[in-house]
Amino acid sequence: MKRIFANLLGCWTDITETGTVEDFQNPLVYFEENLCYPNGSTIADCFKYDYINIQYNGTNYRIHPSCIQIIETKAQSQ
């Protein structure tokens, strides 16, 4: 299971289910579609600018790409 965290004003916030990215897109879908390196580029499409727009709790944040973390957790068996 993947989780998307954004550093919003110094606080790491899980935006996976309650936030949106770039024009109100689902964070998981956005990063799945844009975390690619076209034509041998060393910079992913989603990080080609020096900011990413995050919408969370009615506020728009413009943050540096280094303030995004994508965490993949393993499902625990019971």
Side-chain angles (χ1 to χ4, degrees):
M1 170 194 268
K2 287 186 181 177
R3 309 296 297 174
I4 310 294
F5 289 84
N7 188 338
L8 305 177
L9 300 175
C11 181
W12 285 100
T13 305
D14 186 348
I15 62 167
T16 308
E17 297 170 2
T18 56
T20 56
V21 181
E22 299 292 343
D23 298 325
F24 304 99
Q25 296 176 56
N26 177 296
L28 290 172
V29 173
Y30 175 80
F31 285 108
E32 183 126 339
E33 291 176 352
N34 293 288
L35 192 57
C36 59
Y37 300 85
N39 302 323
S41 174
T42 58
I43 300 172
D45 275 353
C46 57
F47 301 136
K48 63 185 171 186
Y49 302 110
D50 63 349
Y51 65 89
I52 296 176
N53 286 314
I54 304 290
Q55 297 81 38
Y56 182 76
N57 279 348
T59 303
N60 188 61
Y61 298 88
R62 181 180 269 191
I63 64 173
H64 191 270
S66 66
C67 293
I68 295 290
Q69 290 186 3
I70 302 170
I71 309 288
E72 187 161 359
T73 60
K74 296 181 182 180
Q76 295 179 356
S77 60
Q78 295 180 355

